[in-house]
Amino acid sequence: AKHISAAPAAVLYYHINDPMIKSDYHTTSDVLEQEILKELKVKGLVNANDVVIEALDKDIYTTGASQVIPVKIKKDNTPDANSKVATEAEFQLLTDYVEKKVTELGNRIASGDIAAEPYCKKSRTGCDYCEYHSICGFDPRLEGYAYRRLMDYKDAEAYEKMREELDDEVDR
């Protein structure tokens, strides 16, 4: 039996909306289509493998900048520094880290820890769009309630923090 391994092509977020595009009488349908694609472009993380990138956007190596995925190609045919890409090793690290966190959180909940602990990162919080505020009773103005402050890491720093946390668990 032949062993086949699979790797993620991407993890993407698509915001479902009906974009409003500014145009006038002289705007061509091609320009309108390009503007709509720009508004509907997905966010997320793409496998850095060139075969995967081209499979997700067949025109990217001729246009240079994708209108459908968060990737822009430099002249040497590699993603630029602002492209949202990850190697297969980085995807595996993310998978291992998420699995560890899901297990930890599941064990905490199963042991009775159900405290509301929403995050705060810059000016955004986990409460911004939460429909359950009236149920959880979280109020940062009250003593004993506080947001979990999330750090704003660069990609390399975030991967290193995940790697350190996973290595600490193995060392125990």
Side-chain angles (χ1 to χ4, degrees), residues 106-117:
N107 288 337
R108 282 179 50 195
I109 292 169
S111 68
D113 183 356
I114 58 168
E117 297 178 339

Side-chain angles (χ1 to χ4, degrees), residues 50 60-61 64 72-81 83:
D50 58 342
I60 194 166
Y61 289 102
K72 186 175 180 182
I73 299 298
K74 298 185 298 187
K75 289 183 181 181
D76 67 356
N77 280 344
T78 61
D80 75 356
S83 293

Side-chain angles (χ1 to χ4, degrees), residues 89-104:
E90 289 167 337
F91 266 112
Q92 187 60 55
L93 176 62
L94 283 167
T95 301
D96 293 345
Y97 185 77
V98 167
E99 187 175 303
K100 175 187 183 298
K101 285 297 181 187
V102 167
T103 301
E104 283 177 4

Side-chain angles (χ1 to χ4, degrees), residues 15-32:
H15 183 73
I16 298 173
N17 67 357
D18 191 8
M20 298 299 290
I21 306 299
K22 291 182 181 179
S23 67
D24 58 29
Y25 179 73
H26 303 290
T27 306
T28 66
S29 60
D30 286 344
V31 170
L32 273 176

Side-chain angles (χ1 to χ4, degrees), residues 47-171:
N47 189 318
N49 183 307
D50 58 342
V51 174
V52 172
I53 291 171
E54 188 169 24
L56 292 171
D57 184 348
K58 64 181 175 50
D59 298 323
I60 194 166
Y61 289 102
T62 53
T63 61
S66 177
Q67 293 183 312
V68 292
I69 59 174
V71 178
K72 186 175 180 182
I73 299 298
K74 298 185 298 187
K75 289 183 181 181
D76 67 356
N77 280 344
T78 61
D80 75 356
N82 295 320
S83 293
K84 303 299 181 194
V85 295
T87 64
E88 288 185 24
E90 289 167 337
F91 266 112
Q92 187 60 55
L93 176 62
L94 283 167
T95 301
D96 293 345
Y97 185 77
V98 167
E99 187 175 303
K100 175 187 183 298
K101 285 297 181 187
V102 167
T103 301
E104 283 177 4
L105 293 172
N107 288 337
R108 282 179 50 195
I109 292 169
S111 68
D113 183 356
I114 58 168
E117 297 178 339
Y119 75 89
C120 178
K121 183 176 178 185
K122 295 183 181 178
S123 63
R124 299 181 71 185
T125 75
C127 299
D128 291 347
Y129 300 103
C130 179
E131 298 176 18
Y132 304 102
H133 184 73
S134 61
I135 296 169
C136 80
F138 180 84
D139 188 343
R141 297 171 297 182
L142 298 176
E143 188 176 332
Y145 289 96
Y147 287 111
R148 288 179 301 116
R149 302 279 174 194
L150 298 183
M151 300 299 293
D152 196 12
Y153 294 115
K154 292 187 179 351
D155 291 350
E157 294 171 317
Y159 290 128
E160 186 55 34
K161 292 281 184 189
M162 285 184 262
R163 199 173 288 109
E164 287 171 7
E165 193 170 321
L166 289 169
D167 287 347
D168 285 349
E169 185 176 282
V170 171
D171 292 341

